């Protein structure tokens, strides 16, 4: 199924369950009985501003069939951030995002202080 979906360009026709109309133009017919055919899902409000720094695949997203995220709208950006502000940001992430206080320090390579960095 994964190979099929990676090559799928467009669904041009579908029949109701139990019905099948022969396609004479060489189109491939795929039986999805027992499966769900669904579009990609958009998550319009994420809290990945810090997590993306240690989890570039944003794994919880793909686990839930989300294909697109709107990023950076939770108001907790970790850049720009001076070294003396890191502790405050860690405490904020702990309170707002529910992560441990140690998680940002363990996951983020604090090698930046500005947006371009």
């Amino acid at each position: 199924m994964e190979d099929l979906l990676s090559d799928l360009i467009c669904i041009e026709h579908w029949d109701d369950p139990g019905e099948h109309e022969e396609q004479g133009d060489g189109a491939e017919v795929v039986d999805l009985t027992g499966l769900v055919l669904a579009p990609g899902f958009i998550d319009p409000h994420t809290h990945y501003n810090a997590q993306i720094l240690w989890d570039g695949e944003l794994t919880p997203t793909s686990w839930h069939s989300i294909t697109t995220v709107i990023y950076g709208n939770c108001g907790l950006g970790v850049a720009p951030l001076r070294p003396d502000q890191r502790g405050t940001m860690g405490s904020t992430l702990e309170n707002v995002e529910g992560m441990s206080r140690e998680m940002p320090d363990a996951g983020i390579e604090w090698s930046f202080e500005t947006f371009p960095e």
Side-chain angles (χ1 to χ4, degrees):
M1 184 68 170
E2 185 176 311
D3 291 339
L4 167 71
L5 294 178
S6 68
D7 293 336
L8 188 63
I9 296 172
C10 180
I11 299 170
E12 296 181 9
H13 176 84
W14 63 89
D15 292 320
D16 289 330
E19 296 180 14
H20 171 64
E21 185 176 306
E22 193 62 42
Q23 302 293 313
D25 60 1
E28 182 178 1
V29 176
V30 179
D31 181 4
L32 298 177
T33 302
L35 301 174
V36 174
L37 177 63
F41 294 98
I42 299 171
D43 186 345
H45 184 99
T46 64
H47 288 251
Y48 291 138
N49 293 12
Q51 182 175 333
I52 197 169
L53 296 171
W54 65 79
D55 179 12
E57 295 180 2
L58 302 174
T59 48
T61 297
S62 60
W63 294 344
H64 299 288
S65 302
I66 294 169
T67 59
T68 305
V69 298
I70 308 301
Y71 174 82
N73 59 0
C74 79
L76 292 176
V78 295
L81 198 62
R82 294 187 308 267
D84 62 318
Q85 298 171 319
R86 294 175 188 160
T88 302
M89 178 53 71
S91 296
T92 301
L93 291 169
E94 177 182 26
N95 291 321
V96 174
E97 302 294 349
M99 63 178 63
S100 71
R101 174 57 196 90
E102 295 78 24
M103 179 61 93
D105 289 333
I108 299 173
E109 294 181 29
W110 295 104
S111 58
F112 55 86
E113 292 182 32
T114 65
F115 284 117
E117 291 175 317

